[in-house]
Amino acid sequence: MPNAGSGITDALVSALRRARSVAVLTGSGVSAESGVPTFRDAQTGLWARYEPQELATPEAFERDPGLVWEWYEWRRDLVRAAKPNPGHRALTELERRVPSFSLATQNVDGLHRRAGSESVLELHGNIMRSKCSVEGMEAEPREGDESVPPLCPGCGGFLRPDVVWFGEALPEDAFAAASGAARGCDVFLSAGTSSLVYPAASLPYEAARSGALLVEINPDDTPLTQHADHALRGRAGEVLPALVAALGEA
Ligand code: APR
């Protein structure tokens, strides 16, 4: 057994070596080791008394757009300071080795791209971009705009982060591509996600229904764990590099 500690078995390694197509879904646990707190982690400092689930909604923005914008500014600062970790890098290496590879992420921090991953599908948008809350299209604040939130240079409406809030639809193209990859893959990896937030959480089940081997990487149990063929216990920054290393030299 290459690495019995985290549950990486010979059977899993040979399935991954044989795989023509691999699809991956990541969640905020993959960025935890880069210092970006997961959504369900307790918040610290000034934001400790707010629940993220109460800030990341269209209703919260309507009620108090300044508060929601400031919260995202705080998270943007965390993301700016963060660097990709060995888990992100292991996925770029896996992409290089597998004939067909797709990486769908619920993370809005852009760390997979910064690590060098190419086929990234951002299911929940990107925190570094803004869009007009009225017109919906991407827009950035005018230089020198000090209002909070800043205003759309086109229509004067509030700008908001270009992320998907609770209750909002996912970008159709990205989700359709992720769903196609899930249905067409031989191995599906679900890493660092609580598997609670739909529709992203449906992707591993789509893959399993189409016959894929289902692998979960998470230190804790999730609703997906009992459906996984392999539940690798541990942190993504340790388990993913161990998994890729077990594949041996390309
Ligand atoms: N490695 C792997 N998994 C980890 C690690 C780690 N180092 N640290 C924490 N985890 C796991 C936790 O056990 C948990 O299951 O990551 C998961 C994080 O769960 P959530 O905070 O719910 O994040 P995620 O699944 O990405 O949430 C989905 O919901 O909050 C919205 O839009 C937001 O994209 C987010 C979506």
Side-chain angles (χ1 to χ4, degrees):
M1 248 183 232
N3 184 345
S6 61
I8 300 174
T9 61
D10 289 336
L12 170 56
V13 171
S14 54
L16 210 45
R17 281 201 191 116
R18 278 195 315 271
R20 306 296 303 159
S21 172
V22 172
V24 183
L25 172 67
T26 63
S28 59
V30 168
S31 293
E33 290 154 83
S34 292
V36 183
T38 68
F39 242 66
R40 267 150 259 272
D41 273 348
Q43 303 207 88
T44 49
L46 282 179
W47 296 101
R49 64 198 174 95
Y50 296 100
E51 289 284 331
Q53 290 92 323
E54 286 163 16
L55 292 169
T57 68
E59 293 78 23
F61 188 73
E62 206 153 294
R63 211 168 35 239
D64 195 341
L67 178 80
V68 172
W69 182 266
E70 292 284 9
W71 182 60
Y72 276 96
E73 278 295 294
W74 174 70
R75 288 187 73 90
R76 279 175 168 167
D77 284 344
L78 292 175
V79 166
R80 274 189 206 104
K83 291 196 176 61
N85 68 54
H88 296 108
R89 286 196 289 276
L91 291 174
T92 68
E93 171 65 14
L94 191 59
E95 177 171 34
R96 211 175 53 75
R97 302 176 62 122
V98 178
S100 167
F101 181 89
S102 162
L103 171 51
T105 186
Q106 299 165 88
N107 300 343
V108 296
D109 54 34
L111 287 174
H112 285 303
R113 284 226 176 84
R114 279 173 56 193
S117 287
E118 280 169 18
S119 45
V120 183
L121 301 166
E122 290 180 326
L123 300 180
H124 291 170
N126 191 304
I127 195 173
M128 302 316 275
R129 285 194 312 258
S130 301
K131 66 179 182 181
C132 176
S133 65
V134 180
E135 300 163 312
M137 82 266 200
E138 214 184 307
E140 293 305 327
R142 253 200 204 101
E143 226 182 283
D145 183 350
E146 307 245 308
S147 35
V148 180
L151 305 177
C152 170
C155 76
F158 288 139
L159 290 182
R160 55 163 281 183
D162 191 2
V163 299
V164 176
W165 283 332
F166 288 103
E168 292 187 321
L170 273 58
E172 263 173 50
D173 291 356
F175 190 71
S179 175
R183 279 181 270 113
C185 71
D186 305 310
V187 177
F188 188 97
L189 306 182
S190 171
T193 170
S194 56
S195 297
L196 290 171
V197 178
Y198 282 79
S202 65
L203 293 169
Y205 299 105
E206 282 193 52
R209 266 196 303 278
S210 306
L213 190 79
L214 195 54
V215 184
E216 181 181 61
I217 296 127
N218 199 307
D220 296 322
D221 263 4
T222 76
L224 185 68
T225 310
Q226 57 174 314
H227 304 279
D229 297 297
H230 299 267
L232 309 184
R233 288 264 173 257
R235 310 211 278 167
E238 288 157 12
V239 176
L240 286 169
L243 187 58
V244 173
L247 300 178
E249 292 301 312

